[in-house]
Amino acid sequence: MHKIKDFAQGALVPVLVLILWEACSRAGLFSAVVMPAPSAVAAKWWAYLLPAQAQEAGQSWLAWAFSGELLHDAYSSLYRVIAGFLIGAGLALPLGLLMGANTRIYALFNPLMQILRPIPPIAYIPLAILWFGLGNPPSFFLIAIGAFFPVLMNTIAGVRQVDGIYLRAARNLGVGQWTMFTRVILPAATPYILAGVRIGIGTAFIVVIVSEMIAVNDGLGFRILEAREFMWSDKIIAGMITIGLLGLAIDTAVSRLNNHLLRWHRGLEH
Amino acid sequence: MSSPILIDNVQKVFKTPGGDVVALKDINLTIQPGEFVCLLGPSGCGKSTLLNAVAGFQPPSDGQIVIAQKTIRSPGPDRGMVFQEYALFPWMTVGQNIAFGLEVQKKEKAEIDLVVNQLLDLLHLKDFRDRFPKDLSGGMRQRVAIARVLALDSPIMLMDEPFGALDALTRRNLQDELLRIWEKLGKTILFVTHSIEESIYLADRIVVMTYRPGTVKRDQVVDMPRPRDPASPAFNDLKRELGRLVMEEQQRHADAEMKLAAVD
């Protein structure tokens, strides 16, 4: 009962906005090319989702169901986000652990990181094309840069804030350096690292849309730019809504993962 | 196997921007195997500093601490420590916390399970094996911390105001548990507290320390059968006597703070 009430309350404002928007469109307040009605957007989204052709002979049902443009684009974007994120975070995590744990390594690398960090990933676009040409590689590169710094900075902070009492307790139990790192420092730093992962995934998702506007011919970012060339504003908005839904799905997944990995953490109740 | 703790002419000086602070001066103590010794004094008397020196976290500036013919320079599992803040690893369950010290020593899994089960029994933690520390009360956490140290099977247990953060009833309960375990397992216990009553309730011997520099003010044997009755005349006579000693040092502490405040 509570859930229904909460849902109704949450849906109230969006529904009102949609009704107002639909009413304005039907009254002819703005041109359909500039601002299509929500019903038109929904119809376009549905068409965009469904397979473009009839099922071919020999084609499996699943393959056919996923042959629609939207699902293909969403898959391409998601693939780029995950691959780019894994590259960026995979480099940031070990470097962050080392920089957090060792003041000499920190002193060596920190100046370079501080110079590179403020450069937005988008500023790397020209270099990315020059170095990697077209296709997926420049996207991976840009996304990796976007994910790298949030994970790096949070990992360093996470290692540095590890409470000295855990280190003392572990030393008292006879723990050596490697075990200290893997079984004490790393788990103690996970709340920070995972916060960095969440920010990093968010950045990766912003960057993937931008990167698809320059160098590839599929993905949600490409699709909305392509739609603009044909003045298909309904498709642009349908694509944007898909981007929003995919982002929400990614964030929900990461947040679930967080809750599982941090089930021991005091601040989290589930 | 068991060996006394020899504290031989130990000094500890901390270098601070405001000049050197002599935390410990001329400490000479011998703690016999199986003895339960309390270090008692107001804050700033160096009792925790002395415990940390025995634990090996902060070696003395001068003098030495010798156990089994070896000078203590670093922490080790032969001197298990129970901290006031529990210091349980929050990402490990109760069972994993207790097992951790044994895993570090690369013991067999079957042996670890056996020891962990015994300790869960001994400390009445059976139902909490798979819980995380955040789900436990302070008293329960301290039981786990004690079990974690007992798992090491070290002859010496160091305890730094372990019950300081607990309410009075839980505290008495854990004091009784500790005495039961000590009598059963015959550990040497060095126990830091600022509670006079706690020290008389627990210890064979109470070492009262002075405020800065920390020295031994009184080395008092407590010759009362256990369980001790905190309401008995003998208990209260000793409490009054030790209270007088501790308050003298507390007064010096307060005077020193007033002087510092006046300088500011």
Side-chain angles (χ1 to χ4, degrees):
Chain A
M1 200 58 215
H2 256 291
K3 275 196 173 158
I4 298 169
K5 206 179 153 196
D6 285 353
F7 183 78
Q9 199 174 342
L12 186 65
V13 172
V15 167
L16 282 177
V17 169
L18 283 177
I19 291 172
L20 189 69
W21 176 8
E22 184 77 35
C24 291
S25 295
R26 294 200 175 196
L29 278 183
F30 24 71
S31 139
V33 174
V34 177
M35 189 71 171
S39 52
V41 171
K44 193 74 193 180
W45 191 81
W46 187 244
Y48 181 24
L49 175 70
L50 291 179
Q53 279 117 23
Q55 190 172 4
E56 288 166 32
Q59 191 185 24
S60 80
W61 187 84
L62 201 68
W64 176 73
F66 277 83
S67 68
E69 212 178 19
L70 182 146
L71 290 173
H72 173 77
D73 285 337
Y75 170 79
S76 303
S77 296
L78 190 62
Y79 168 68
R80 291 185 188 112
V81 167
I82 291 173
F85 174 81
L86 287 179
I87 296 168
L91 293 170
L93 188 67
L95 183 61
L97 290 173
L98 285 172
M99 284 177 72
N102 186 313
T103 46
R104 280 189 55 196
I105 295 177
Y106 181 81
L108 281 173
F109 282 90
N110 190 46
L112 180 65
M113 293 303 135
Q114 294 305 335
I115 292 167
L116 294 180
R117 191 163 69 103
I119 304 174
I122 295 159
Y124 285 90
I125 288 176
L127 259 192
I129 295 171
L130 210 57
W131 287 356
F132 299 103
L134 300 177
N136 275 337
S139 280
F140 293 161
F141 173 71
L142 294 170
I143 295 163
I145 286 176
F148 180 82
F149 288 103
V151 176
L152 179 78
M153 300 325 279
N154 272 50
T155 305
I156 295 171
V159 172
R160 294 196 151 190
Q161 63 76 45
V162 172
D163 196 333
I165 191 86
Y166 299 139
L167 306 182
R168 294 209 307 161
R171 284 173 67 205
N172 184 248
L173 296 173
V175 165
Q177 257 196 331
W178 178 248
T179 310
M180 181 72 95
F181 214 73
T182 55
R183 300 219 35 207
V184 180
I185 293 176
L186 188 60
T190 33
Y192 276 70
I193 297 173
L194 287 177
V197 163
R198 206 164 169 181
I199 302 169
I201 284 262
T203 315
F205 197 66
I206 294 170
V207 177
V208 74
I209 300 302
V210 176
S211 77
E212 284 171 348
M213 292 183 173
I214 52 152
V216 290
N217 54 14
D218 60 2
L220 296 166
F222 167 79
R223 201 62 64 198
I224 61 175
L225 203 69
E226 183 198 48
R228 185 200 58 107
E229 300 196 356
F230 300 101
M231 305 251 256
W232 288 338
S233 48
D234 48 358
K235 194 168 184 184
I236 294 177
I237 296 173
M240 287 169 66
I241 290 168
T242 312
I243 290 169
L245 291 175
L246 189 61
L248 182 65
I250 292 176
D251 195 60
T252 308
V254 173
S255 149
R256 289 262 167 94
L257 180 73
N258 261 12
N259 284 347
H260 176 72
L261 289 176
L262 296 182
R263 62 196 181 283
W264 52 271
H265 203 250
R266 199 188 295 248
L268 281 165
E269 295 306 330
H270 48 95
Chain B
M1 163 80 187
S2 313
S3 145
I5 305 171
L6 304 170
I7 298 171
D8 177 20
N9 229 353
V10 161
Q11 333 274 329
K12 181 72 189 178
V13 181
F14 288 110
K15 305 225 177 287
T16 71
D20 290 357
V21 173
V22 183
L24 296 173
K25 192 164 181 279
D26 306 330
I27 306 275
N28 286 290
L29 289 168
T30 301
I31 295 157
Q32 296 302 333
E35 202 172 17
F36 196 139
V37 176
C38 274
L39 298 174
L40 177 67
S43 45
C45 73
K47 55 194 190 300
S48 288
T49 308
L50 182 57
L51 195 75
N52 279 326
V54 177
F57 290 125
Q58 295 172 326
S61 318
D62 203 0
Q64 57 180 352
I65 295 163
V66 181
I67 299 169
Q69 280 96 48
K70 271 195 280 191
T71 303
I72 299 304
R73 286 198 184 84
S74 60
D78 58 322
R79 285 152 284 135
M81 179 117 159
V82 178
F83 301 88
Q84 181 179 359
E85 315 88 319
Y86 320 122
L88 296 176
F89 302 117
W91 53 89
M92 295 184 194
T93 62
V94 167
Q96 289 167 338
N97 263 288
I98 299 173
F100 187 51
L102 296 170
E103 284 170 15
V104 169
Q105 293 176 14
K106 306 250 185 294
K107 290 275 199 304
E108 296 285 327
K109 177 131 187 10
E111 189 190 340
I112 295 177
D113 275 351
L114 189 74
V115 173
V116 170
N117 279 327
Q118 282 172 351
L119 288 169
L120 289 169
D121 258 349
L122 182 69
L123 285 141
H124 310 300
L125 289 165
K126 265 236 132 96
D127 299 336
F128 298 91
R129 184 188 182 124
D130 298 322
R131 300 281 192 88
F132 286 104
K134 69 160 181 163
D135 299 326
L136 305 183
S137 66
M140 280 303 196
R141 284 181 205 179
Q142 207 52 295
R143 281 169 191 269
V144 180
I146 291 170
R148 181 171 70 175
V149 164
L150 290 177
L152 303 170
D153 199 25
S154 54
I156 296 167
M157 252 174 110
L158 307 174
M159 307 186 84
D160 191 3
E161 302 200 33
F163 308 144
L166 304 177
D167 67 84
L169 293 176
T170 310
R171 191 175 219 210
R172 173 53 41 87
N173 179 244
L174 274 171
Q175 287 166 347
D176 288 335
E177 289 273 299
L178 180 63
L179 285 174
R180 182 174 65 86
I181 289 163
W182 170 70
E183 279 166 4
K184 188 171 162 156
L185 303 177
K187 306 272 180 200
T188 311
I189 296 182
L190 190 55
F191 188 110
V192 163
T193 180
H194 58 245
S195 160
I196 298 159
E197 183 169 319
E198 181 167 68
S199 66
I200 302 173
Y201 192 73
L202 293 174
D204 291 326
R205 211 172 121 201
I206 300 168
V207 176
V208 183
M209 295 183 64
T210 61
Y211 176 76
R212 227 162 266 175
T215 58
V216 175
K217 187 177 177 94
R218 169 78 68 87
D219 192 341
Q220 174 77 44
V221 172
V222 186
D223 193 12
M224 278 183 249
R226 293 187 182 88
R228 291 172 183 159
D229 175 9
S232 71
F235 195 106
N236 279 289
D237 287 346
L238 185 56
K239 193 170 160 184
R240 199 169 301 117
E241 169 67 8
L242 293 181
R244 190 178 58 75
L245 297 175
V246 171
M247 277 319 289
E248 280 174 15
E249 296 309 315
Q250 178 60 30
Q251 192 55 50
R252 287 184 51 213
H253 181 190
D255 290 349
E257 299 227 303
M258 292 296 276
K259 220 183 272 173
L260 264 178
V263 171
D264 288 346

